[in-house]
Amino acid sequence: MKSIEVPDPAVLRERLPHVFQRPASASLALPATLLLTIAIFVFGLVDLDFSPTRFIGGLRQLGWITLMMLPPNPGSSLPAYLQAMGETLSIAVLGTTIAAILALPMSLLAARNIVPSVIFRSPVRRLFDTIRGVDQLIWALVWINVVGLGPFAGVLAIAVSDFGALGKLFSEAIEGADRKQVEGVRASGGSVLHEIRFGLLPQVLPVIAGQVLYFIESNTRSATIIGIVGAGGIGLQLAEQIRVLEWQKVSFLILMILIAVAAIDWISSRLRFAIIGRRAVA
């Protein structure tokens, strides 16, 4: 058995100097990045008027408000709060469902394995990017000015915002599907629609269902935020009670929101695990 000759490091260093000698730019890259980061951080503190004194004073104010919140008490407004909570859940579920129904067919047009041509696929992808680029709260303000105050504006805001996000996620799930099932449908004489219906959708629908359930859970919180700007639901009640300094009612509303989000999280997790388990059995 032949022994492997180990080359002399000095010979290698002389033969390949560009490998052993790092350029000055590479050596200075890390310190320069750290200095730039620190400079931006300090500039941000100064520009935003960050003051430790104001921060400590704010903590005292926060402690006083927290004491005023105890104990949570809805007063005589419990029926109105329950109705508002149901409205918030309805906004989240309806908005997400509308977004998913509209995004699914459009995501097929944005998937590379369905529409190979960049000319036809790219505009759909850019549409998703454009809609996603506008925050949900901005969409709520837009729709409030279009259709007026109330839950209808909240549903439209969530539907439009999630249309862009779900369209992108759906198209990525479709592109990641296994092509063997599609090729099997094609080999048996199926058309393009048959390939999508029997070869593609059975693979991606469990993934899509899991994504929709997660968005319903997330939009329960989002519906509360957009309600503060006038889109109805529990957020509107929360904003009104903060405005009139009814801190016990504020704490009760926050407790209701936490319980609702936890319940939706538990239900959606159970449904996602059921869908994944059924898919694994299949």
Side-chain angles (χ1 to χ4, degrees):
M1 185 174 180
K2 295 182 179 181
S3 60
I4 300 175
E5 295 183 1
V6 180
D8 187 3
V11 175
L12 290 177
R13 189 181 299 273
E14 182 179 354
R15 185 182 303 173
L16 303 171
H18 62 281
V19 175
F20 290 90
Q21 296 179 1
R22 295 181 62 191
S25 58
S27 301
L28 296 175
L30 182 58
T33 303
L34 291 175
L35 288 175
L36 181 61
T37 303
I38 294 172
I40 293 174
F41 179 74
V42 173
F43 174 78
L45 293 179
V46 175
D47 187 61
L48 297 177
D49 195 21
F50 180 82
S51 171
T53 306
R54 290 175 57 189
F55 180 72
I56 295 173
L59 288 178
R60 291 200 204 97
Q61 183 72 7
L62 179 62
W64 178 81
I65 291 175
T66 303
L67 291 176
M68 295 292 292
M69 285 182 172
L70 299 176
N73 184 10
S76 59
S77 304
L78 181 60
Y81 293 165
L82 292 175
Q83 181 180 355
M85 191 72 249
E87 198 173 82
T88 295
L89 296 176
S90 299
I91 291 172
V93 173
L94 187 58
T96 308
T97 304
I98 293 174
I101 292 173
L102 296 177
L104 181 57
M106 293 295 291
S107 65
L108 294 172
L109 301 177
R112 187 177 291 105
N113 52 345
I114 301 296
V115 181
S117 175
V118 178
I119 298 175
F120 297 103
R121 187 179 71 248
S122 182
V124 181
R125 286 182 172 271
R126 299 295 77 77
L127 174 64
F128 289 153
D129 294 340
T130 302
I131 293 176
R132 268 182 325 109
V134 181
D135 188 75
Q136 203 169 73
L137 190 61
I138 305 300
W139 282 118
L141 293 173
V142 170
W143 284 113
I144 285 171
N145 285 277
V146 173
V147 300
L149 298 171
F152 184 43
V155 171
L156 292 176
I158 288 179
V160 173
S161 175
D162 284 3
F163 170 75
L166 288 175
K168 179 179 184 298
L169 292 175
F170 290 176
S171 64
E172 291 177 349
I174 292 170
E175 289 177 345
D178 188 4
R179 294 192 58 82
K180 293 181 180 179
Q181 297 186 28
V182 178
E183 292 172 355
V185 175
R186 184 185 306 163
S188 63
S191 64
V192 175
L193 293 178
H194 289 143
E195 293 176 11
I196 296 173
R197 168 62 183 84
F198 298 103
L200 192 63
L201 288 181
Q203 298 184 62
V204 300
L205 281 180
V207 178
I208 289 174
Q211 291 171 344
V212 172
L213 288 172
Y214 172 77
F215 268 72
I216 290 176
E217 171 198 334
S218 176
N219 285 331
T220 304
R221 297 185 291 269
S222 300
T224 302
I225 301 302
I226 64 176
I228 294 177
V229 299
I234 199 73
L236 183 60
Q237 296 285 347
L238 183 61
E240 290 179 355
Q241 299 308 319
I242 292 176
R243 192 176 299 115
V244 297
L245 306 180
E246 290 284 352
W247 298 115
Q248 288 182 316
K249 292 184 178 181
V250 169
S251 63
F252 185 83
L253 289 170
I254 293 174
L255 186 62
M256 285 183 63
I257 294 169
L258 293 176
I259 293 173
V261 170
I264 294 294
D265 178 41
W266 183 81
I267 294 172
S268 63
S269 298
R270 291 280 180 171
L271 290 175
R272 280 198 298 269
F273 285 133
I275 292 171
I276 293 172
R278 187 176 301 176
R279 183 187 181 190
V281 172

